[in-house]
Amino acid sequence: MLLAFSAVLVVLAAAFVITTRHWPVVSDAALMQYTVFLLQHGWTPYRDFLDVNMPGAYLVTAVAMHLPGPSDASWRLFDLSLVAMAGVAYYAIARIYSRFAALFAAVMLLLVHGQDGIQQAGQRDLVMAVLLLGAVACLFEAVRRGQGVYLVPFGLAAGLATTIKPTALPIGLVLLALCIAHRAGWLSRQRADARNLIAWSAAGFCGLVLPIALMLLWLASQHALAAWLQTQRVMLPYYATLGRRPFAFTLLHSLSPLLPLVLLWLLSVAARGPRWDRFERLVIVTVTVLSLLSLLVQGKALPYQRYPMLAFLLLWIALDLSTALRARLLPRLAAVAALACGCLVLAPLALLRVHRFVPAQEFKAMLQADLIRVHADHDGAVQCLDTIQECLPTLYSLRLLPATGTLYDLYLFGDERQPAVRAGRERFLAQIAAHPPTTFVVVSGAFLDTQNGYRKLDTWPAFASWLHQHYTLDVERLPPHPVRWWSRAQPSAGYRLYVAKPSPAPVSVQPR
Protein backbone atom coordinates (compact mmCIF):
# COMPACT_ATOMS: atom_id res chain seq x y z
CA MET A 1 0.00 0.00 0.00
CA LEU A 2 2.72 2.50 0.97
CA LEU A 3 4.56 1.60 -2.22
CA ALA A 4 1.46 2.45 -4.26
CA PHE A 5 0.96 5.72 -2.39
CA SER A 6 4.65 6.55 -2.90
CA ALA A 7 4.37 5.94 -6.65
CA VAL A 8 1.35 8.24 -6.86
CA LEU A 9 3.16 11.00 -4.97
CA VAL A 10 6.28 10.74 -7.13
CA VAL A 11 4.23 10.92 -10.34
CA LEU A 12 2.25 13.93 -9.09
CA ALA A 13 5.42 15.74 -8.02
CA ALA A 14 7.06 15.10 -11.40
CA ALA A 15 3.93 16.32 -13.21
CA PHE A 16 3.93 19.47 -11.10
CA VAL A 17 7.57 20.26 -11.88
CA ILE A 18 6.98 19.78 -15.62
CA THR A 19 3.77 21.81 -15.58
CA THR A 20 5.24 24.77 -13.72
CA ARG A 21 8.70 24.94 -15.27
CA HIS A 22 7.77 28.07 -17.30
CA TRP A 23 6.24 30.07 -14.45
CA PRO A 24 7.39 33.72 -14.58
CA VAL A 25 8.68 35.84 -11.71
CA VAL A 26 5.76 37.96 -10.49
CA SER A 27 4.40 39.81 -7.47
CA ASP A 28 6.51 39.72 -4.28
CA ALA A 29 9.34 37.79 -5.92
CA ALA A 30 9.66 40.38 -8.67
CA LEU A 31 9.58 43.20 -6.12
CA MET A 32 12.33 41.52 -4.10
CA GLN A 33 14.44 41.11 -7.23
CA TYR A 34 14.00 44.80 -7.95
CA THR A 35 15.19 45.80 -4.47
CA VAL A 36 18.28 43.60 -4.93
CA PHE A 37 18.78 45.29 -8.32
CA LEU A 38 18.82 48.62 -6.47
CA LEU A 39 21.38 47.29 -4.00
CA GLN A 40 23.56 46.19 -6.90
CA HIS A 41 23.44 49.78 -8.20
CA GLY A 42 24.60 51.32 -4.95
CA TRP A 43 21.29 52.01 -3.24
CA THR A 44 21.05 51.28 0.48
CA PRO A 45 17.85 49.82 1.94
CA TYR A 46 15.94 51.84 4.55
CA ARG A 47 18.18 54.84 3.90
CA ASP A 48 17.82 55.29 0.13
CA PHE A 49 14.56 53.40 -0.29
CA LEU A 50 11.86 52.48 2.18
CA ASP A 51 11.14 48.78 2.67
CA VAL A 52 9.83 46.66 5.54
CA ASN A 53 11.64 43.51 4.42
CA MET A 54 14.58 42.34 6.52
CA PRO A 55 18.16 42.18 5.16
CA GLY A 56 18.10 38.37 5.12
CA ALA A 57 15.38 38.53 2.47
CA TYR A 58 17.75 40.46 0.20
CA LEU A 59 20.48 37.88 0.79
CA VAL A 60 18.42 34.84 -0.19
CA THR A 61 16.94 36.72 -3.16
CA ALA A 62 20.43 37.61 -4.38
CA VAL A 63 21.46 33.95 -4.09
CA ALA A 64 18.44 32.91 -6.16
CA MET A 65 19.17 35.54 -8.79
CA HIS A 66 22.67 34.13 -9.26
CA LEU A 67 21.48 30.60 -9.98
CA PRO A 68 22.11 29.47 -13.58
CA GLY A 69 19.65 30.28 -16.33
CA PRO A 70 17.40 33.21 -17.28
CA SER A 71 15.62 35.13 -14.53
CA ASP A 72 12.37 33.15 -14.64
CA ALA A 73 14.16 29.79 -14.86
CA SER A 74 16.57 30.56 -12.00
CA TRP A 75 13.72 31.63 -9.74
CA ARG A 76 11.79 28.49 -10.61
CA LEU A 77 14.87 26.44 -9.75
CA PHE A 78 15.17 28.32 -6.46
CA ASP A 79 11.55 27.67 -5.54
CA LEU A 80 11.73 23.96 -6.32
CA SER A 81 15.08 23.68 -4.54
CA LEU A 82 13.51 25.08 -1.39
CA VAL A 83 10.95 22.26 -1.31
CA ALA A 84 13.70 19.74 -2.12
CA MET A 85 15.69 21.01 0.88
CA ALA A 86 12.56 20.70 3.00
CA GLY A 87 12.36 17.09 1.80
CA VAL A 88 15.95 16.47 2.92
CA ALA A 89 15.14 17.89 6.35
CA TYR A 90 12.00 15.76 6.51
CA TYR A 91 14.07 12.68 5.73
CA ALA A 92 16.65 13.51 8.40
CA ILE A 93 13.89 13.92 10.97
CA ALA A 94 11.58 11.04 9.99
CA ARG A 95 13.97 8.35 8.78
CA ILE A 96 14.04 6.47 12.10
CA TYR A 97 10.25 6.22 12.03
CA SER A 98 9.17 6.09 8.39
CA ARG A 99 10.79 7.19 5.14
CA PHE A 100 7.33 7.34 3.60
CA ALA A 101 6.43 10.07 6.10
CA ALA A 102 9.20 12.26 4.68
CA LEU A 103 8.00 11.69 1.11
CA PHE A 104 4.36 12.33 2.01
CA ALA A 105 5.14 15.58 3.85
CA ALA A 106 7.47 16.87 1.11
CA VAL A 107 5.12 16.21 -1.82
CA MET A 108 2.09 17.56 0.02
CA LEU A 109 4.06 20.72 0.87
CA LEU A 110 5.10 21.03 -2.78
CA LEU A 111 1.55 20.72 -4.10
CA VAL A 112 -0.09 22.89 -1.44
CA HIS A 113 2.52 25.55 -2.13
CA GLY A 114 1.94 25.15 -5.86
CA GLN A 115 -1.82 25.49 -5.69
CA ASP A 116 -1.41 28.75 -3.76
CA GLY A 117 -0.42 30.30 -7.05
CA ILE A 118 2.36 31.58 -9.27
CA GLN A 119 2.89 34.63 -7.07
CA GLN A 120 3.88 32.51 -4.04
CA ALA A 121 7.04 31.08 -5.64
CA GLY A 122 10.15 31.62 -3.51
CA GLN A 123 8.29 33.45 -0.77
CA ARG A 124 10.27 34.57 2.27
CA ASP A 125 8.08 32.55 4.62
CA LEU A 126 8.83 29.42 2.61
CA VAL A 127 12.56 30.11 3.00
CA MET A 128 12.02 30.63 6.72
CA ALA A 129 10.08 27.35 6.97
CA VAL A 130 12.88 25.44 5.24
CA LEU A 131 15.50 26.99 7.51
CA LEU A 132 13.47 26.07 10.60
CA LEU A 133 13.06 22.51 9.32
CA GLY A 134 16.81 22.33 8.89
CA ALA A 135 17.29 23.75 12.38
CA VAL A 136 15.01 21.10 13.90
CA ALA A 137 16.79 18.34 11.95
CA CYS A 138 20.14 19.51 13.40
CA LEU A 139 18.65 19.74 16.89
CA PHE A 140 17.37 16.16 16.65
CA GLU A 141 20.79 14.97 15.46
CA ALA A 142 22.40 16.67 18.47
CA VAL A 143 20.05 14.86 20.84
CA ARG A 144 20.14 11.51 19.04
CA ARG A 145 23.93 11.43 18.77
CA GLY A 146 24.66 13.23 22.01
CA GLN A 147 26.88 15.71 20.17
CA GLY A 148 26.35 19.39 20.90
CA VAL A 149 28.27 20.45 17.79
CA TYR A 150 25.04 19.96 15.81
CA LEU A 151 23.58 22.92 17.69
CA VAL A 152 25.90 25.25 15.77
CA PRO A 153 24.13 24.68 12.41
CA PHE A 154 20.84 24.63 14.34
CA GLY A 155 21.55 28.13 15.61
CA LEU A 156 22.84 29.39 12.27
CA ALA A 157 19.68 28.21 10.48
CA ALA A 158 17.36 29.72 13.10
CA GLY A 159 19.41 32.94 13.13
CA LEU A 160 19.32 33.27 9.36
CA ALA A 161 15.56 32.71 9.46
CA THR A 162 15.36 35.57 11.98
CA THR A 163 17.11 37.91 9.55
CA ILE A 164 14.29 37.16 7.11
CA LYS A 165 11.42 37.48 9.60
CA PRO A 166 11.87 38.28 13.31
CA THR A 167 9.09 35.82 14.19
CA ALA A 168 11.69 33.04 13.86
CA LEU A 169 13.67 34.32 16.85
CA PRO A 170 11.27 33.21 19.63
CA ILE A 171 10.94 29.82 17.91
CA GLY A 172 14.71 29.36 17.90
CA LEU A 173 15.04 30.39 21.54
CA VAL A 174 12.22 28.11 22.69
CA LEU A 175 13.66 25.15 20.78
CA LEU A 176 17.10 25.74 22.30
CA ALA A 177 15.52 25.88 25.76
CA LEU A 178 13.68 22.60 25.12
CA CYS A 179 16.90 20.96 24.00
CA ILE A 180 18.79 22.11 27.09
CA ALA A 181 15.90 21.03 29.31
CA HIS A 182 15.97 17.59 27.71
CA ARG A 183 19.74 17.41 28.12
CA ALA A 184 19.42 18.43 31.78
CA GLY A 185 17.03 15.55 32.40
CA TRP A 186 13.91 17.64 32.93
CA LEU A 187 12.28 16.07 29.86
CA SER A 188 14.11 12.74 29.95
CA ARG A 189 15.79 10.34 32.36
CA GLN A 190 19.30 11.08 31.13
CA ARG A 191 21.15 13.91 32.80
CA ALA A 192 24.22 15.80 31.62
CA ASP A 193 26.72 17.59 33.83
CA ALA A 194 26.80 21.37 34.13
CA ARG A 195 29.83 21.75 31.86
CA ASN A 196 28.09 19.82 29.11
CA LEU A 197 24.95 21.96 29.43
CA ILE A 198 26.98 25.17 29.20
CA ALA A 199 28.77 23.92 26.07
CA TRP A 200 25.48 22.97 24.40
CA SER A 201 23.85 26.26 25.34
CA ALA A 202 26.83 28.26 24.06
CA ALA A 203 26.93 26.37 20.76
CA GLY A 204 23.25 26.94 20.07
CA PHE A 205 23.09 30.53 21.29
CA CYS A 206 26.23 31.67 19.50
CA GLY A 207 25.04 30.10 16.27
CA LEU A 208 21.68 31.83 16.67
CA VAL A 209 23.15 35.24 17.43
CA LEU A 210 25.85 35.25 14.73
CA PRO A 211 23.62 35.90 11.66
CA ILE A 212 21.74 38.61 13.56
CA ALA A 213 24.99 40.28 14.63
CA LEU A 214 26.33 40.16 11.07
CA MET A 215 23.09 41.73 9.83
CA LEU A 216 23.41 44.61 12.29
CA LEU A 217 27.09 45.10 11.44
CA TRP A 218 26.23 45.24 7.73
CA LEU A 219 23.53 47.84 8.38
CA ALA A 220 25.98 49.90 10.44
CA SER A 221 28.62 49.68 7.70
CA GLN A 222 26.04 50.99 5.21
CA HIS A 223 25.08 53.82 7.58
CA ALA A 224 21.54 52.43 7.53
CA LEU A 225 21.13 51.17 11.09
CA ALA A 226 19.25 54.26 12.28
CA ALA A 227 17.00 54.15 9.21
CA TRP A 228 16.31 50.45 9.79
CA LEU A 229 15.40 51.11 13.43
CA GLN A 230 13.09 53.92 12.32
CA THR A 231 11.43 51.51 9.89
CA GLN A 232 10.91 48.98 12.67
CA ARG A 233 9.49 51.59 15.06
CA VAL A 234 7.24 53.59 12.72
CA MET A 235 6.66 51.97 9.33
CA LEU A 236 6.37 48.31 10.29
CA PRO A 237 3.69 48.82 12.99
CA TYR A 238 1.57 50.74 10.48
CA TYR A 239 2.05 48.04 7.85
CA ALA A 240 0.94 45.45 10.42
CA THR A 241 -2.43 47.20 10.82
CA LEU A 242 -3.32 47.03 7.11
CA GLY A 243 -5.50 44.37 5.54
CA ARG A 244 -6.20 42.46 8.73
CA ARG A 245 -8.82 39.71 8.63
CA PRO A 246 -11.06 38.38 11.43
CA PHE A 247 -9.52 35.84 13.79
CA ALA A 248 -11.88 33.02 12.75
CA PHE A 249 -11.17 33.61 9.05
CA THR A 250 -7.41 33.58 9.62
CA LEU A 251 -7.60 30.39 11.67
CA LEU A 252 -9.72 28.58 9.09
CA HIS A 253 -7.52 29.87 6.26
CA SER A 254 -4.44 28.44 7.98
CA LEU A 255 -5.84 24.90 7.66
CA SER A 256 -8.03 25.18 4.58
CA PRO A 257 -5.68 23.37 2.13
CA LEU A 258 -5.52 20.33 4.42
CA LEU A 259 -8.84 20.40 6.28
CA PRO A 260 -10.13 16.91 5.27
CA LEU A 261 -6.71 15.40 5.97
CA VAL A 262 -6.55 17.11 9.36
CA LEU A 263 -9.96 15.75 10.38
CA LEU A 264 -9.03 12.16 9.46
CA TRP A 265 -5.67 12.55 11.19
CA LEU A 266 -7.37 13.70 14.39
CA LEU A 267 -9.65 10.65 14.21
CA SER A 268 -6.62 8.38 13.96
CA VAL A 269 -4.88 10.10 16.86
CA ALA A 270 -8.02 9.94 19.00
CA ALA A 271 -8.29 6.19 18.37
CA ARG A 272 -4.65 5.45 19.13
CA GLY A 273 -2.60 8.32 20.45
CA PRO A 274 1.00 9.17 19.43
CA ARG A 275 3.56 6.38 19.35
CA TRP A 276 6.86 8.07 18.60
CA ASP A 277 9.50 9.87 20.64
CA ARG A 278 7.90 12.21 23.16
CA PHE A 279 10.61 14.88 23.04
CA GLU A 280 10.73 15.03 19.26
CA ARG A 281 6.95 15.22 19.11
CA LEU A 282 7.03 18.04 21.66
CA VAL A 283 9.50 19.97 19.49
CA ILE A 284 7.44 19.59 16.31
CA VAL A 285 4.20 20.46 18.10
CA THR A 286 5.87 23.52 19.65
CA VAL A 287 7.07 24.87 16.30
CA THR A 288 3.66 24.22 14.74
CA VAL A 289 1.82 26.05 17.52
CA LEU A 290 4.25 28.99 17.63
CA SER A 291 4.05 29.34 13.83
CA LEU A 292 0.25 29.29 14.03
CA LEU A 293 0.32 31.99 16.71
CA SER A 294 2.61 34.08 14.49
CA LEU A 295 0.16 33.67 11.62
CA LEU A 296 -2.77 34.72 13.81
CA VAL A 297 -0.88 37.74 15.18
CA GLN A 298 -0.04 38.93 11.65
CA GLY A 299 -3.74 38.62 10.87
CA LYS A 300 -3.58 39.13 7.10
CA ALA A 301 -4.35 35.52 6.13
CA LEU A 302 -1.99 35.70 3.15
CA PRO A 303 -1.24 32.25 1.71
CA TYR A 304 2.52 32.40 2.15
CA GLN A 305 2.30 33.35 5.83
CA ARG A 306 1.07 29.84 6.70
CA TYR A 307 4.06 28.00 5.21
CA PRO A 308 6.06 27.61 8.46
CA MET A 309 3.00 26.23 10.23
CA LEU A 310 2.01 23.94 7.34
CA ALA A 311 5.56 22.65 6.92
CA PHE A 312 5.63 21.34 10.50
CA LEU A 313 1.98 20.34 10.61
CA LEU A 314 2.50 18.10 7.58
CA LEU A 315 5.48 16.46 9.27
CA TRP A 316 3.46 15.98 12.46
CA ILE A 317 0.58 14.42 10.51
CA ALA A 318 2.87 12.22 8.40
CA LEU A 319 4.67 10.79 11.43
CA ASP A 320 1.44 10.14 13.33
CA LEU A 321 -0.22 8.41 10.36
CA SER A 322 2.77 6.34 9.27
CA THR A 323 3.36 5.01 12.81
CA ALA A 324 -0.39 4.36 13.24
CA LEU A 325 -0.21 1.83 10.39
CA ARG A 326 1.32 -0.59 12.90
CA ALA A 327 -1.49 -0.10 15.44
CA ARG A 328 -4.86 -1.77 16.04
CA LEU A 329 -7.57 -2.00 13.40
CA LEU A 330 -9.49 1.24 14.03
CA PRO A 331 -6.54 3.66 14.16
CA ARG A 332 -4.93 1.82 11.25
CA LEU A 333 -8.07 2.20 9.12
CA ALA A 334 -8.28 5.88 10.03
CA ALA A 335 -4.63 6.34 9.09
CA VAL A 336 -5.12 4.57 5.75
CA ALA A 337 -8.16 6.76 5.04
CA ALA A 338 -6.18 9.90 5.87
CA LEU A 339 -3.22 8.91 3.69
CA ALA A 340 -5.58 7.97 0.85
CA CYS A 341 -7.29 11.35 1.21
CA GLY A 342 -3.94 13.12 0.91
CA CYS A 343 -2.43 11.00 -1.88
CA LEU A 344 -5.53 10.28 -3.96
CA VAL A 345 -7.74 13.33 -3.39
CA LEU A 346 -5.98 16.46 -2.10
CA ALA A 347 -2.74 16.04 -4.06
CA PRO A 348 -4.40 15.37 -7.46
CA LEU A 349 -6.84 18.24 -6.88
CA ALA A 350 -3.93 20.56 -6.17
CA LEU A 351 -2.26 19.53 -9.41
CA LEU A 352 -5.54 20.07 -11.28
CA ARG A 353 -5.76 23.62 -9.94
CA VAL A 354 -2.20 24.30 -11.02
CA HIS A 355 -3.05 23.25 -14.59
CA ARG A 356 -5.62 26.06 -14.73
CA PHE A 357 -3.14 28.86 -14.00
CA VAL A 358 -2.32 31.26 -16.84
CA PRO A 359 1.14 32.88 -16.56
CA ALA A 360 0.29 35.82 -18.84
CA GLN A 361 1.67 39.27 -17.95
CA GLU A 362 -0.39 41.73 -20.01
CA PHE A 363 0.05 44.60 -17.56
CA LYS A 364 3.83 44.48 -17.81
CA ALA A 365 3.83 44.24 -21.61
CA MET A 366 1.45 47.19 -21.98
CA LEU A 367 3.26 49.42 -19.49
CA GLN A 368 6.65 48.61 -20.94
CA ALA A 369 5.45 49.61 -24.42
CA ASP A 370 3.96 52.86 -23.07
CA LEU A 371 7.13 53.85 -21.21
CA ILE A 372 9.19 53.34 -24.35
CA ARG A 373 6.64 55.30 -26.38
CA VAL A 374 6.79 58.38 -24.13
CA HIS A 375 10.61 58.13 -23.90
CA ALA A 376 10.54 57.33 -20.18
CA ASP A 377 12.83 54.33 -20.62
CA HIS A 378 15.82 55.86 -18.84
CA ASP A 379 16.98 55.95 -15.23
CA GLY A 380 15.18 58.29 -12.86
CA ALA A 381 12.32 59.09 -15.25
CA VAL A 382 9.49 57.01 -13.75
CA GLN A 383 7.77 57.19 -10.40
CA CYS A 384 5.45 54.28 -9.64
CA LEU A 385 2.48 54.88 -7.36
CA ASP A 386 1.84 51.23 -6.59
CA THR A 387 2.58 48.63 -3.95
CA ILE A 388 2.09 45.01 -5.00
CA GLN A 389 1.18 45.14 -8.69
CA GLU A 390 3.56 45.05 -11.66
CA CYS A 391 4.85 48.61 -11.99
CA LEU A 392 8.23 48.07 -10.29
CA PRO A 393 8.69 44.66 -11.95
CA THR A 394 8.22 46.47 -15.28
CA LEU A 395 11.01 48.86 -14.38
CA TYR A 396 13.15 45.87 -13.51
CA SER A 397 12.43 44.22 -16.86
CA LEU A 398 13.70 47.45 -18.49
CA ARG A 399 16.59 47.61 -15.97
CA LEU A 400 15.57 51.14 -14.95
CA LEU A 401 16.33 52.86 -11.66
CA PRO A 402 13.31 54.67 -10.14
CA ALA A 403 12.88 58.39 -9.79
CA THR A 404 12.78 58.18 -5.98
CA GLY A 405 13.24 55.69 -3.17
CA THR A 406 9.49 55.64 -2.48
CA LEU A 407 8.77 52.23 -3.89
CA TYR A 408 5.40 51.55 -2.27
CA ASP A 409 2.46 53.94 -2.11
CA LEU A 410 0.86 52.42 1.00
CA TYR A 411 2.73 55.06 3.04
CA LEU A 412 1.38 57.87 0.86
CA PHE A 413 -2.31 57.14 0.46
CA GLY A 414 -3.63 56.41 3.90
CA ASP A 415 -4.81 58.02 7.11
CA GLU A 416 -2.81 61.23 7.47
CA ARG A 417 -3.10 60.94 11.26
CA GLN A 418 -0.73 57.98 11.14
CA PRO A 419 2.93 58.88 11.83
CA ALA A 420 4.04 56.43 9.12
CA VAL A 421 1.91 58.19 6.49
CA ARG A 422 3.15 61.62 7.52
CA ALA A 423 6.76 60.43 7.44
CA GLY A 424 6.24 58.70 4.09
CA ARG A 425 4.74 61.80 2.51
CA GLU A 426 7.48 64.10 3.78
CA ARG A 427 10.15 61.74 2.49
CA PHE A 428 8.42 61.43 -0.88
CA LEU A 429 8.05 65.17 -1.35
CA ALA A 430 11.71 65.76 -0.57
CA GLN A 431 12.69 63.11 -3.10
CA ILE A 432 10.54 64.36 -5.99
CA ALA A 433 11.79 67.89 -5.29
CA ALA A 434 15.36 66.65 -5.64
CA HIS A 435 14.66 64.39 -8.65
CA PRO A 436 11.41 65.38 -10.41
CA PRO A 437 10.04 62.42 -12.41
CA THR A 438 9.12 62.94 -16.03
CA THR A 439 6.45 60.25 -15.74
CA PHE A 440 4.09 59.04 -13.02
CA VAL A 441 2.46 55.62 -13.24
CA VAL A 442 -0.60 55.51 -11.00
CA VAL A 443 -1.73 51.89 -10.62
CA SER A 444 -5.33 51.16 -9.71
CA GLY A 445 -6.11 49.66 -6.34
CA ALA A 446 -4.67 50.23 -2.91
CA PHE A 447 -2.62 47.81 -0.82
CA LEU A 448 -4.68 44.61 -0.37
CA ASP A 449 -7.71 46.44 -1.81
CA THR A 450 -8.10 45.73 -5.51
CA GLN A 451 -11.53 47.40 -5.58
CA ASN A 452 -10.17 50.81 -4.62
CA GLY A 453 -9.63 51.91 -8.22
CA TYR A 454 -7.98 55.31 -8.29
CA ARG A 455 -9.79 56.56 -5.20
CA LYS A 456 -6.58 56.26 -3.22
CA LEU A 457 -5.57 59.65 -4.68
CA ASP A 458 -8.50 61.20 -2.79
CA THR A 459 -6.74 60.46 0.52
CA TRP A 460 -4.10 63.06 -0.42
CA PRO A 461 -6.03 65.82 -2.26
CA ALA A 462 -3.10 68.26 -2.30
CA PHE A 463 -0.91 65.82 -4.20
CA ALA A 464 -3.73 64.82 -6.56
CA SER A 465 -4.28 68.51 -7.41
CA TRP A 466 -0.55 69.09 -7.94
CA LEU A 467 -0.29 66.03 -10.17
CA HIS A 468 -3.13 67.16 -12.43
CA GLN A 469 -1.77 70.70 -12.53
CA HIS A 470 1.77 69.84 -13.63
CA TYR A 471 1.33 66.51 -15.45
CA THR A 472 -0.85 65.48 -18.36
CA LEU A 473 -2.83 62.24 -18.34
CA ASP A 474 -1.33 60.51 -21.37
CA VAL A 475 -3.28 57.27 -21.29
CA GLU A 476 -5.37 55.07 -19.02
CA ARG A 477 -5.20 51.35 -19.67
CA LEU A 478 -6.78 48.19 -18.36
CA PRO A 479 -5.51 44.78 -19.53
CA PRO A 480 -8.34 42.99 -21.38
CA HIS A 481 -8.14 39.70 -19.51
CA PRO A 482 -8.31 38.84 -15.81
CA VAL A 483 -5.24 37.56 -14.02
CA ARG A 484 -5.30 33.82 -13.34
CA TRP A 485 -2.21 33.28 -11.23
CA TRP A 486 -4.01 31.14 -8.67
CA SER A 487 -7.23 29.15 -8.25
CA ARG A 488 -9.58 32.07 -8.94
CA ALA A 489 -9.44 34.61 -11.73
CA GLN A 490 -8.93 38.18 -10.51
CA PRO A 491 -9.56 41.44 -12.34
CA SER A 492 -6.29 42.83 -13.62
CA ALA A 493 -4.98 46.11 -12.26
CA GLY A 494 -5.03 49.08 -14.60
CA TYR A 495 -2.83 52.16 -14.71
CA ARG A 496 -2.81 55.81 -15.64
CA LEU A 497 0.29 57.28 -17.26
CA TYR A 498 1.00 60.95 -16.45
CA VAL A 499 3.66 62.86 -18.41
CA ALA A 500 5.22 66.14 -17.26
CA LYS A 501 4.01 69.28 -18.95
CA PRO A 502 6.62 71.40 -20.75
CA SER A 503 6.66 74.05 -18.02
CA PRO A 504 8.61 73.38 -14.79
CA ALA A 505 6.69 71.66 -12.06
CA PRO A 506 7.83 73.12 -8.75
CA VAL A 507 7.05 70.95 -5.77
CA SER A 508 4.78 72.79 -3.37
CA VAL A 509 2.61 69.95 -2.12
CA GLN A 510 1.67 69.88 1.52
CA PRO A 511 2.44 66.59 3.26
CA ARG A 512 -1.02 66.50 4.87
Side-chain angles (χ1 to χ4, degrees), residues 140-475:
F140 285 177
E141 287 300 307
V143 172
R144 290 170 182 176
R145 298 173 183 265
Q147 298 179 12
V149 68
Y150 284 96
L151 290 183
V152 175
F154 156 80
L156 291 174
L160 182 56
T162 301
T163 69
I164 296 173
K165 270 201 168 181
T167 51
L169 180 59
I171 296 176
L173 292 173
V174 170
L175 292 185
L176 181 59
L178 287 176
C179 179
I180 300 305
H182 179 273
R183 192 69 180 166
W186 302 337
L187 301 177
S188 68
R189 296 181 180 179
Q190 297 180 348
R191 294 179 179 273
D193 58 41
R195 183 178 300 176
N196 184 275
L197 290 177
I198 293 174
W200 281 49
S201 301
F205 186 76
C206 290
L208 179 60
V209 168
L210 181 59
I212 302 172
L214 291 175
M215 177 193 78
L216 295 175
L217 287 173
W218 178 77
L219 288 170
S221 71
Q222 299 297 310
H223 307 289
L225 186 56
W228 177 75
L229 291 172
Q230 173 74 1
T231 300
Q232 304 306 305
R233 287 196 304 262
V234 178
M235 301 303 179
L236 188 59
Y238 172 69
Y239 171 82
T241 65
L242 302 176
R244 296 186 65 84
R245 307 298 293 266
F247 175 86
F249 179 90
T250 306
L251 181 61
L252 180 61
H253 180 266
S254 68
L255 297 172
S256 58
L258 302 174
L259 193 55
L261 175 63
V262 169
L263 295 176
L264 290 170
W265 162 62
L266 292 176
L267 176 61
S268 174
V269 171
R272 175 176 178 264
R275 291 294 186 274
W276 46 289
D277 185 85
R278 191 182 109 184
F279 169 71
E280 295 189 356
R281 183 181 175 88
L282 175 62
V283 167
I284 292 173
V285 171
T286 298
V287 183
T288 305
V289 172
L290 290 177
S291 298
L292 176 60
L293 290 176
S294 172
L295 172 65
L296 295 174
V297 168
Q298 292 177 80
K300 289 181 170 57
L302 298 172
Y304 61 84
Q305 291 179 339
R306 60 191 177 194
Y307 288 152
M309 188 273 296
L310 287 179
F312 283 91
L313 179 63
L314 281 168
L315 177 60
W316 181 4
I317 291 173
L319 288 172
D320 274 353
L321 294 179
S322 58
T323 54
L325 295 175
R326 299 186 289 270
R328 301 186 313 272
L329 180 61
L330 181 57
R332 185 167 70 250
L333 290 177
V336 170
L339 292 174
C341 175
C343 298
L344 305 180
V345 179
L346 296 182
L349 283 176
L351 185 61
L352 181 62
R353 294 188 182 99
V354 168
H355 274 282
R356 296 173 179 171
F357 299 164
V358 179
Q361 295 179 280
E362 294 178 328
F363 182 106
K364 181 185 288 188
M366 294 170 62
L367 179 56
Q368 184 170 319
D370 277 331
L371 293 179
I372 295 173
R373 177 180 56 81
V374 299
H375 307 291
D377 53 336
H378 56 88
D379 288 340
V382 182
Q383 174 62 49
C384 291
L385 296 180
D386 181 23
T387 294
I388 57 174
Q389 300 298 335
E390 295 299 295
C391 186
L392 291 178
T394 302
L395 297 191
Y396 179 59
S397 67
L398 293 170
R399 299 299 188 268
L400 298 180
L401 297 175
T404 76
T406 300
L407 305 182
Y408 312 120
D409 67 4
L410 65 93
Y411 298 108
L412 302 180
F413 305 119
D415 187 350
E416 65 183 16
R417 294 171 296 181
Q418 292 287 341
V421 174
R422 292 199 299 270
R425 290 181 179 181
E426 291 171 1
R427 179 184 182 124
F428 175 65
L429 294 179
Q431 290 174 337
I432 62 174
H435 303 284
T438 65
T439 307
F440 276 92
V441 179
V442 182
V443 180
S444 66
F447 178 60
L448 298 179
D449 181 8
T450 58
Q451 305 302 315
N452 184 278
Y454 299 98
R455 295 192 304 276
K456 62 186 179 182
L457 290 170
D458 297 337
T459 65
W460 194 5
F463 172 76
S465 175
W466 175 85
L467 180 66
H468 288 94
Q469 180 181 357
H470 297 288
Y471 288 78
T472 300
L473 176 60
D474 179 80
V475 69

